[in-house]
Amino acid sequence: MTLPLTGCIAKTHTQNTTVHSEGLDEAAAVVEANIFSADSLAEHFKGQDAVVSCLGFQYKMFSSISGYTDSIAAIAGAMRQTGVNRMVTMTSWYTDTSSAQNASFFVRNLLIPLIKSVLTNMFEMEKYLQKECSDINWTVVRPPGLQNTPVTDKEILTHEGYFVPDDKGYPITNTESRADVSRFMLSTLNDDRWTRKIVAMCCK
């Protein structure tokens, strides 16, 4: 399977995505494209089997952001142009911020208010996919906070909700390894259980 990894190891600078090649498999192609332009992305989507997108955008304290919705519209447009039908993308736990009522004090009262602009736009992106992309086989993965730790072979827990709860309804964790999130995202590519589904995940 060939696939463009849209922003999986990218930092966004204005409208271009500059990809850092460190740690990439030798078969990976490093390209630069306008992540808000369907035409620009389509050039690199041709001949691919799927799109995996882990784009991230900086939060703003006193205004909204639109990077998630703007980029997903361009990605969907490029997929339609090139006939690519499979997409896996990532948002976060608590995209509906009211779902965090059982989260820790730090998450509920400090972290979520700080990054609310990001969570709100992620939520808008999820709604865009649900309402506007019924022709695309998409999956949205919601992880908790991300850490730069090695991949593991731990069991992955999933829940079709805004976080993964324990048996009392409290979040199982606050963080997860980026590598394990990637492991799960790639595993969903050929798994029909997650067709047009939004799934929270973490490791056991």
Side-chain angles (χ1 to χ4, degrees):
M1 173 176 285
T2 56
L3 62 158
L5 303 179
T6 309
C8 283
I9 47 168
K11 294 183 179 180
T12 55
H13 301 283
T14 312
Q15 291 187 333
N16 288 332
T17 298
T18 302
V19 181
H20 296 260
S21 59
E22 181 179 354
L24 276 177
D25 185 275
E26 290 182 0
V30 179
V31 301
E32 186 169 310
N34 183 343
I35 59 172
F36 304 120
S37 166
D39 290 341
S40 178
L41 292 174
E43 177 182 349
H44 305 290
F45 285 9
K46 292 176 183 176
Q48 308 301 317
D49 297 308
V51 174
V52 177
S53 177
C54 301
L55 288 169
F57 298 90
Q58 184 67 35
Y59 68 85
K60 293 183 179 179
M61 285 291 294
F62 303 109
S63 62
S64 61
I65 67 171
S66 63
Y68 293 97
T69 43
D70 292 344
S71 61
I72 205 67
I75 290 169
M79 292 176 68
R80 292 183 179 112
Q81 286 184 36
T82 56
V84 180
N85 191 252
R86 185 70 176 105
M87 175 207 301
V88 180
T89 189
M90 181 179 74
T91 56
S92 174
W93 283 16
Y94 312 126
T95 50
D96 178 350
T97 55
S98 67
S99 67
Q101 57 187 355
N102 288 336
S104 67
F105 178 89
F106 171 78
V107 169
R108 192 173 64 251
N109 294 290
L110 299 175
L111 181 60
I112 286 182
L114 179 67
I115 65 169
K116 188 173 182 179
S117 61
V118 167
L119 296 173
T120 297
N121 195 222
M122 285 179 167
F123 183 76
E124 293 167 344
M125 184 183 85
E126 293 170 349
K127 294 302 179 186
Y128 175 85
L129 288 169
Q130 290 176 321
K131 294 178 181 179
E132 305 295 336
C133 295
S134 60
D135 59 322
I136 293 174
N137 179 0
W138 53 265
T139 301
V140 176
V141 174
R142 290 173 173 150
L146 301 176
Q147 289 188 321
N148 293 321
T149 52
V151 67
T152 73
D153 59 358
K154 294 178 181 177
E155 178 185 353
I156 292 176
L157 305 178
T158 60
H159 180 69
E160 288 186 47
Y162 291 100
F163 62 96
V164 181
D166 62 17
D167 55 6
K168 296 181 180 179
Y170 290 90
I172 286 180
T173 185
N174 289 321
T175 60
E176 190 53 74
S177 165
R178 281 184 167 86
D180 281 329
V181 176
S182 297
R183 175 166 65 96
F184 175 67
M185 291 180 73
L186 293 173
S187 77
T188 68
L189 284 169
N190 294 312
D191 191 337
D192 291 339
R193 289 180 300 167
W194 307 121
T195 296
R196 299 184 190 90
K197 295 287 183 66
I198 304 176
V199 55
M201 61 77 63
C202 68
C203 287
K204 187 171 182 180

